[in-house]
Amino acid sequence: MAKALTIEWLDAAAASRVEPARPPFARVLICNLHDPALATLRSVAPNAGDLADAHYPGASGRSHFIERRVVLRAFAARCAGADPDAIRINYDEHGAPRVDGVDLFVSVSSRGGRVALAVASSPVGVDLEPVEVAGPVIEDVLGKRERQVLERLSTDARTRAFVQIWTAKEAYLKAIGRGFKRDPTLVNINVRENMFTVEDTGFPAELAAGAYMTLAEEIVACAVLPPRVAGTTF
Ligand SMILES: CC(C)(COP(=O)(O)OP(=O)(O)OC[C@H]1O[C@@H](n2cnc3c(N)ncnc32)[C@H](O)[C@@H]1OP(=O)(O)O)[C@@H](O)C(=O)NCCC(=O)NCCS
């Protein structure tokens, strides 16, 4: 069973003054890119990798891409105790952001200028979703156990539980670097209050674990793989 992990949730002000972290660690910055408290992190100049990736046909809108990337690099640099210019981030062949040359892992989720940026000492994934009380349950992404759990719930509880499953699943699929290229029905999320574990068919049980941060209008899930899973081919 995966060891319980502590994820540090930070706002713009806290992230701007955070000290270098000692592994193992996982930190998530949730903020608005235009928050004045983010000025220090935002002041980093884009590098060649950022400018090249701005043209990558990624899932997210490109309009806030450069701001997102420089804040991610500056935040990663603070976590590593490094100069932001020494941190280089590029997409891998699956579109996952990867840090060049250092043992640091990052993940991104955004809705316009609202972002969740994760930095960790092992593979990490983050997802931010609005909490839509009347949102639909998308059956096609559910694993067998998830279906069984949801079937037992009332309509309102099912909708809430689905948002938790969805955000955790997307965070996990980012942590393994495949996104929805991996069949989401092979993955089952077990929600336990503000934490979750992941079972992925064909892999050792409970490979990954994670936690939620629930805010007024959004939910953020962060999934972290144990270091031994790093390098596993999914
Ligand atoms: C990755 C994915 C889950 C993103 O979901 P989303 O809700 O649309 O967008 P989010 O804002 O939460 O996440 C976007 C971030 O995911 C990251 N990402 C993209 N592909 C990734 C992958 N394979 N692994 C990990 N992270 C990935 C990127 O960093 C991107 O942010 P950026 O553009 O600022 O770099 C989804 O686009 C996906 O599964 N893509 C791969 C499969 C694919 O191409 N399918 C066709 C469209 S669904």
Side-chain angles (χ1 to χ4, degrees):
M1 172 152 168
K3 225 175 76 183
L5 83 162
T6 307
I7 292 170
E8 251 184 282
W9 303 94
L10 306 169
D11 62 13
S16 302
R17 54 171 190 266
V18 80
E19 294 294 325
R22 238 186 295 156
F25 75 91
R27 287 174 167 170
V28 182
L29 162 59
I30 306 171
C31 66
N32 192 316
L33 285 171
H34 297 117
D35 186 332
L38 210 62
T40 314
L41 297 182
R42 227 181 25 228
S43 65
V44 168
N47 66 17
D50 302 338
L51 295 170
D53 282 354
H55 301 291
Y56 183 90
S60 306
R62 301 284 94 182
S63 59
H64 294 85
F65 176 79
I66 291 291
E67 292 145 287
R68 214 162 43 232
R69 174 59 70 77
V70 296
V71 171
L72 176 64
R73 265 198 313 111
F75 178 43
R78 286 206 78 97
C79 294
D83 187 319
D85 291 340
I87 303 286
R88 291 181 305 279
I89 300 174
N90 290 294
Y91 290 125
D92 69 9
E93 70 272 30
H94 302 290
R98 297 288 180 229
V99 185
D100 232 14
V102 256
D103 263 352
L104 211 57
F105 297 83
V106 295
S107 184
V108 173
S109 187
S110 68
R111 296 290 173 270
R114 190 79 184 150
V115 296
L117 305 173
V119 178
S121 54
S122 64
V124 67
V126 72
D127 187 47
L128 175 151
E129 298 288 341
V131 181
E132 284 162 3
V133 181
V137 171
I138 305 166
E139 300 276 344
D140 292 353
V141 302
L142 295 174
K144 193 174 162 198
R145 277 174 46 105
E146 293 169 340
R147 282 171 195 269
Q148 289 165 350
V149 170
L150 292 187
E151 269 165 21
R152 291 197 291 266
L153 302 176
S154 67
T155 307
D156 282 358
R158 190 183 310 133
T159 304
R160 275 195 304 277
F162 175 73
V163 174
Q164 287 184 307
I165 288 172
W166 172 265
T167 48
K169 189 169 290 206
E170 200 167 310
Y172 168 73
L173 293 172
K174 287 182 185 176
I176 65 171
R178 293 296 180 273
F180 283 102
K181 286 175 188 158
R182 177 154 178 81
D183 181 352
T185 65
L186 299 177
V187 175
N188 280 279
I189 304 294
N190 303 307
V191 179
R192 296 172 190 165
E193 297 182 358
N194 65 339
M195 310 277 285
F196 61 88
T197 55
V198 184
E199 289 171 31
D200 190 342
T201 309
F203 294 97
E206 302 194 343
L207 276 181
Y212 298 103
M213 172 57 75
T214 308
L215 302 167
E217 291 179 355
E218 59 204 7
I219 179 167
V220 181
C222 176
V224 184
L225 300 190
R228 69 186 164 83
V229 180
T232 301
T233 304
F234 289 90

